[in-house]
Amino acid sequence: MKLPNIKKVSYPESTAEAVAILSDEKRNAVPLSGGVSFIFASTAGVEELVCLNRLPLRYIKKKNGGLLVGATTLVSELVEAGAVGSYADGILREAARRVGSTLNRNLITVGGSLVQPFIWSDLPAVALAMGAKIRIQGKKSRTIDAEKFYARPPRQLLKGGDLVTEVLFPAPPPGSRAAYRKFALTENDFAILKVAILLSRRKRLCREITVAVGGATVLPQRTPMAEAALRGKQASQVLVNEASELAAEEIKVSRDMRCSNDYKRELCRVMVRAILEEILLDQKVAEWKLF
Amino acid sequence: MEIVLTINGKKTRAEAGTSETLLDLLRRLGYKSVKYGCGEGFCGACTVIMDGRPVNSCLVPAVTAGGREVITVEHLGTPQKPHPLQEAFVEAGAVQCGFCTPGMILSAKALLDKKSNPSEEEIREALDGNLCRCTGYVQIVEAVQLAAKRMKEKKRKREKKIK
Amino acid sequence: MNNKQKFSEVGRSVRKVDAMGLATGRAKFTDDYEMPGMLHAKLLRSPHAHARIRSIRTAKARALPGVAAVLTYKDVPRVPFTTAGQGYPEPSPYDDFILDDKVRFVGDKVALVAAETDEIAGEALKLIEVEYEELPAVLDPRKAMRSSAPVIHDEKECYIAIPVPYEPERNRAARVEAVVGNVEKGVMEAEVAVEDEFENQTASHSALEPHCALSWLDENDRLNIISSTQVPYHARRIVSRALQIPVKRIRVIKPRLGGGFGGKQEVLLEPYVGILTLKTGRPVKMRLTRKEVFTSARVRHNMITKVQVAARKDGELTAIDLYALSNTGAYGTHGLTVASNVGTRTLTMFRCPNMRFSSDVVYTNLSVSGAYRGYGGTQGILATAITMDDLAERLGMDPVDFYLKNIIGGGAEVPILKELGEGPVLGQPRVSSCELAACIKAGMEAIGWKKKRGRPGGGRFRRGIGMSVMMQGSSIPYIDMGSAFIKMNDDGSFNLLMGATDIGQGSDTVLAQMAAEVLTVKTDDIIVYSSDTDLTPFDVGAYASSTTYLSGAAVKQTAEKVREQILHVGAALLNTTPGKVHLSGGCVIGPGGKSVTLKEVGTSSLYEKDQFQISASASSISHESPPPFAAHFVEVEVDRATGKVRVLEYVQAVDCGTPINPVLARGQAIGALINGISYALVEQYIYNSKGAMLNPGYGYYKIFCTKDIPKITTIFVPSYEPTGPFGAKSVGEVCISGPLPAISNAIYDAVDVRLHRTPFTPDKVLEAIHARRRG
């Protein structure tokens, strides 16, 4: 960690105050939430740190069947909150639970994890699968869909002074099922691959589906072909197999030193299939066996 | 940059270096139980309890530690008057080289503060950020169970007395 | 079992003597020491696998405010030495220099800086201008000895100080060959023979404490070094050689150590802080970063092993032929001895008339290998235990029955040790105690071997069960020496001073228990001080599983001498003769039950009559290296869709003689086991095509955490080693070697594929499953 030119640390108590500091170009200020990504970041030009931990952004609220999560909420608070556990089959809780270690989860914030995705980040894939809406406050405050937010490295979206303040995980549609699975070498290893799926169904009819794959590239990605193969169809094992094969083919994979790209594709196929078997075909699999 | 933080209950004014982490700062101030093991938030040797939660102090820029409440293992007990966790770690064979021990004990304390009767799985979860190469963890988990049991008994006895 | 006596302090799980200091954060490790005016040192590391330094300019670095010294190869003595902390003369080649004009691996040292702060030292490194001439590199041990391969040690100074083959011009750092009987004949006599090849990966010890050293000149101009070392005396001698200053001018002190596992049996930092202190006159501290520990400290030898085993139809072994191509990396530390242990730790276990072991140890431009818990046994047992599993299957035998038929028992003569031992062998080498058969029986019972074996089930998840047997040694006979000194205090307590090096394993405690046993006091009446070359007598240090056995014998003898003196004083106080008194329960007891306490004895000896210091010293060398044995049984579940292997249950049964402290012995056995399972499943060095390690951090070099631990059962079978103190032999290393082959065998039981290359990561397992399906 090196902040050779740091001159000031400020602790704004309101978002407006934070935005004002961050948008003042002369101050060369950067926001700091959990601070975990700092050891990976280049910080030579930074003259001011804007600590966000006094902003009133540490909350988890239920909203119309969805969840409203403040940006400085700790990942461990997601794990602990009852509302998160009961949201969408616990998909967000499961992803949060698998973020790094307990010690890491006590530092990493939801906002930081969403804005600064690494190939190992767990929350972005769930945000993408659930169609999360990310609230940005700045000179021009706005709300961006996760899909657009992750079309490019999110920081490119953020102009001077912009701050991600909140994320809405919308209410899942009626009759929906959701699941998040992470495949890693050890229990708290960086994932080799993770898959988040949200679907709504009536019996075997798959009405709507979103498949998000993380860990294949830095940004989470949807698998439109696989989704199209299932959307509006009567699900069957054959269709599930087909869809998972499509997902494996269509994802972009960047090099991972630990395994071949082909292995990641195979993993994608297996994981998408297994999740679909579980939440679409109702096949029972003991939970600990999943991945 | 001058900051004021609370370390082991003591309000402390300190000059935080611009490339220092909280780990560096604490060690420089003499809290040597906080160890450097990896500097990347993976090993947990630098664990401190900050504002009630155990964290990797190597990931916290020192200049941002102002206003924080930090607890290191020095605060828990002394050899003459150890904390039940320290007692249990010693007894159960959970201490081998002892380099990870302060961090382990702090993670375990944070758990027991929240949950007096944790399951084995919850203990493993709570300690998952603290690496140990000596013990293979088995005796560490046993030590936390032992401490939990004793702390509960103590509490029960105390409550009985009050009644 | 024989000679089993009832002990009072030995065999009890007394509290580890240093544990409370550690648990309360009071205990000091090297990095916890500070000196006024202390400088911080850093090494500039090579970005190239193999290169010559054409020019190196340090003016800018020297000019940086706060920089106290910048040294290059031009500024340091050019004396070849080895960093391997072994007995003298070391069986490792003298092929290293403090700094050199050549670099031989990515992470090799280039230049040395000392500055007022760690940060300034880091800045100074960036200001050193180096021009390299890149040389072709050897990145594959299989290609190291080819005539076309670049020579890594082309310097004229390198040599080995003992009479063994050393051919740096062929990149061969060592060669081992040992034969008993006639292997070809043995294979001819066999009805079934199996040949196979294996490769184990490079791995990091991952002691939680990174290497650290602090040096200063005391008021007498002597160089004092506090170091995180497993080998204080070897460190003193090697520093003396490297810096060309006399041993008498050096003091090495070992404080608490944050684990070693062999990684700190290397003198990696002491010469550097030492030379900086000599040049600047100031205290200097150097602590490796975790990244440096990965890239520039030592690793487990990567080896390619080839093995042939042959047996008659009834399962009797007729031949074992084992070859290891050992990759020692850029320097030859522990090259010869780790290789020879590949043979020792495997062939010793079997009653087989025809055995051969050979090995080539080759230089490459990769991470430097060194001592690592298991020390060749891990590599050898990987090869033999999988091949024997295969052979047993081809014979239609249960591997358990195959082993029971072929392993040695107590009192066995082991002719191969004559050819392979590290030291001189007098007479026919033998193994006194061996309860390996009991280990196998206890382990198979505990895991339910018979009912679980060969029942993988159907579907995606298949279960399998596998086993392995293993052994280690206890000290290096005729070479290793340990000694101790005990003095008595006026309150009846004792100071035990010894060179034996507690690195976290608990030797201070175990050795104090032994002294307490002899002196009939409680362990906490023994005040332990270990490993300070000025104050404690010599000991080779913590390696070769020697401390309990060898240093223990020295402590026991020392305590016995002290006991004699106590009896003399006690007898005088009781107005009788020493022959008529005995020591019991902390009292000297005379005729008619009259007694004096140790406090009275101590006080009398120091203050009252014929005053003298009750004290003694004794040394011990070993004549045997009694092996501890273990049998491992593991049940796994293999996901045929992803290749992921999950360890469900692990049972280990261990013969370590008398466990002096059962809780600590169990800790050693489990700690080694988990390191072994973690190594088998996830740990690995990943290099790029230029020989640079891509994953030098715990982010991508994973070791097991609490959540990765399977259900473990550890059984100590009753055993008594007649040559060991109180029946003890070693327990520190043996259990690390079982998981590789046991898990591979279990995977085979589950999904019918044999894994030959470690670690058994999901991608590798899946590939093997697919390859089998393809046929």
Side-chain angles (χ1 to χ4, degrees), chain C residues 416-431:
Chain C
I416 191 80
L417 283 182
K418 218 170 184 169
E419 315 296 321
L420 268 175
E422 281 178 52
V425 176
L426 312 175
Q428 185 67 268
R430 64 188 190 100
V431 166

Side-chain angles (χ1 to χ4, degrees), chain B residues 89-137:
Chain B
F89 265 62
V90 170
E91 230 173 276
V95 181
Q96 279 192 33
C97 83
F99 199 77
C100 73
T101 307
M104 285 282 182
I105 287 178
L106 288 171
S107 284
K109 179 185 186 296
L111 170 71
L112 296 186
D113 284 350
K114 266 198 306 202
K115 224 172 200 146
S116 60
N117 192 19
S119 67
E120 185 178 335
E121 200 186 330
E122 285 167 330
I123 295 170
R124 285 168 181 249
E125 179 89 27
L127 302 182
D128 71 343
N130 297 87
L131 296 180
C132 166
R133 192 61 145 178
C134 294
T135 63
Y137 305 107

Side-chain angles (χ1 to χ4, degrees), chain C residues 171-373:
Chain C
N171 288 330
R172 183 151 73 178
R175 163 103 192 122
V176 182
E177 185 134 27
V179 188
V180 292
N182 181 326
V183 169
E184 283 72 22
K185 187 171 143 270
V187 174
M188 292 288 285
E189 287 166 12
E191 270 117 351
V192 183
V194 182
E195 257 186 286
D196 220 332
E197 186 178 312
F198 302 87
E199 181 170 3
N200 71 286
Q201 83 277 27
T202 299
S204 166
H205 305 79
S206 283
L208 259 282
E209 176 204 27
H211 303 62
C212 189
L214 163 62
S215 66
W216 71 95
L217 287 171
D218 65 17
E219 60 275 24
N220 298 317
D221 205 38
R222 293 176 72 233
L223 184 64
N224 286 242
I225 305 175
I226 296 179
S227 173
S228 63
T229 180
Q230 296 178 226
V231 284
Y233 277 92
H234 295 332
R236 183 178 69 169
R237 192 190 68 243
I238 291 168
V239 167
S240 158
R241 177 181 171 86
L243 302 188
Q244 299 284 288
I245 60 172
V247 162
K248 69 177 177 188
R249 208 185 150 198
I250 306 165
R251 174 183 183 186
V252 176
I253 302 159
K254 175 218 70 95
R256 297 334 293 169
L257 230 73
F261 317 112
K264 292 171 183 164
Q265 197 192 336
E266 293 278 333
V267 184
L268 295 180
L269 302 186
E270 296 89 339
Y272 297 91
V273 292
I275 197 159
L276 285 168
T277 288
L278 293 179
K279 297 256 181 194
T280 62
R282 292 174 63 180
V284 178
K285 186 195 276 183
M286 185 169 182
R287 191 213 64 210
L288 295 186
T289 62
R290 178 56 58 183
K291 183 181 174 196
E292 287 179 295
V293 175
F294 275 110
T295 60
S296 306
R298 300 296 177 250
V299 299
R300 185 187 289 290
H301 287 83
N302 145 249
M303 289 190 197
I304 295 126
T305 41
K306 293 179 188 180
V307 60
Q308 183 174 28
V309 290
R312 286 186 226 283
K313 232 187 253 157
D314 64 358
E316 195 180 303
L317 274 169
T318 59
I320 308 175
D321 192 4
L322 180 60
Y323 169 78
L325 176 66
S326 177
N327 171 9
T328 189
Y331 298 94
T333 65
H334 297 268
L336 170 70
T337 40
V338 167
S340 70
N341 271 277
V342 173
T344 317
R345 303 302 178 226
T346 48
L347 303 185
T348 302
M349 283 187 290
F350 300 100
R351 287 187 285 107
C352 174
N354 308 298
M355 300 203 263
R356 176 164 61 201
F357 173 70
S358 56
S359 179
D360 292 302
V361 182
V362 297
Y363 286 122
T364 62
N365 295 107
L366 292 168
S367 312
V368 183
S369 303
Y372 194 132
R373 198 177 202 173

Side-chain angles (χ1 to χ4, degrees), chain B residues 19 27 32 35-37 42 77-78 86-87 91 95-97 99 124 127-128 133-134 137 139 142, chain C residues 15-16 23 26 31-32 34 119 204-205 257 290 372 504 663 666-668 671 683 704 706-707 709:
Chain B
S19 51
R27 286 187 61 79
K32 299 283 194 188
K35 308 293 186 194
Y36 167 89
F42 292 115
T78 63
Q86 291 166 324
E87 187 82 30
E91 230 173 276
V95 181
Q96 279 192 33
C97 83
F99 199 77
R124 285 168 181 249
L127 302 182
D128 71 343
R133 192 61 145 178
C134 294
Y137 305 107
Q139 287 163 310
E142 290 168 355
Chain C
R15 287 176 159 217
K16 195 162 176 289
R26 265 73 175 168
D31 196 24
D32 301 337
E34 311 270 348
E119 203 187 343
S204 166
H205 305 79
L257 230 73
R290 178 56 58 183
Y372 194 132
V663 162
R666 178 168 172 257
Q668 286 300 306
E683 297 179 25
F704 269 21
T706 42
K707 288 197 288 190
I709 306 308

